[in-house]
Amino acid sequence: MIRRVRSLLKKAPFERKDNNLNEIARDTVELLLRLATLREIDLGSETVVDELRVKCDRIQLQQVIINLILNAMDAMSAVPRAQRKIAVTTMRIENFAEVAVSDTGPGISTDKVEMVFQPFFTTKPQGMGMGLSIARTIVEAHDGQIWAENKTGSGAVFHIRLPLSGTSRFRDRDVRAWPFATYCSAPRSRSLI
C-alpha cells in the first residue's frame, strides 16, 4: 500500500512553480483558524519579512503543513485549554527555506521520535500511521527534508526544509547536523491570530 501511494505521488504531475513559503504558511494558518478556535487552541504564524521563494507544488506542500497542524491539535487534546498553542514559523537558513510547526503538547517519546515517519506507525488509537509517511514522501519529492524533535520543556516541533529557488539540492547533506548558528536572524512578520 505504501509503495502504491509513493509511486502515485512520484508519477503524479507536480505543478512545481515558484512560490513564497511565507504565503503558503500564512494561508494554511488562516485556513485552519476556525478549527483551532473550535478546539480552543491558539494558532499563530511568524514569518520572515523577506520572501522565501521555493519551487514546489503549492497544494501538496500545504497538505503537508495541514497534516502537521492537525497532528499538533490532536496531540494537545489533554493539555489545559490556556496552554494549547501552535506556532507556524518560517526562516531562511543559508540557501534553504524552512517552515516549522511547534506545539505545547506532551512531545514525542524519545524512543519513538525516529519512528514517526515510518509507514503504519501511529500514537493515535484511530490513526492509520500514513499521514507523516506520506508527508515525508511529498517533502522528499520536492528535494527537501522533514524531521521532528522535542522542544525544551514540553511539546514537539516538526521541520520542513526546502532549497530556495535557483539553489542546489540537498544531495547527501543532513541538515539536522548543521550548527544552530547558521539560523538567520532576519526580521520577522508576526501574526498571532
Side-chain angles (χ1 to χ4, degrees), residues 35-136:
L35 178 61
T37 302
L38 290 171
R39 290 188 172 193
E40 300 179 90
I41 295 171
D42 178 17
L43 172 62
S45 66
E46 186 176 346
T47 57
V48 291
V49 174
D50 295 331
E51 286 190 340
L52 294 174
R53 307 301 298 182
V54 294
K55 286 261 189 220
C56 69
D57 183 308
R58 182 184 179 94
I59 304 283
Q60 286 190 357
L61 190 56
Q62 191 169 39
Q63 287 297 318
V64 171
I65 298 169
I66 287 170
N67 180 268
L68 296 178
I69 294 171
L70 293 177
N71 285 350
M73 287 181 182
D74 291 344
M76 293 189 296
S77 61
V79 172
R81 290 179 180 133
Q83 296 173 12
R84 296 178 189 169
K85 295 182 188 332
I86 299 172
V88 179
T89 58
T90 63
M91 62 199 79
R92 179 183 176 146
I93 301 158
E94 295 181 357
N95 290 328
F96 301 95
E98 183 173 308
V99 60
V101 177
S102 64
D103 65 57
T104 55
I108 306 165
S109 295
T110 52
D111 61 328
K112 295 186 171 128
V113 76
E114 294 297 324
M115 299 168 57
V116 296
F117 296 102
Q118 297 300 315
F120 305 112
F121 175 82
T122 184
T123 57
K124 301 177 193 177
Q126 75 285 6
M128 290 179 50
M130 297 294 294
L132 290 175
S133 177
I134 293 170
R136 181 183 67 186

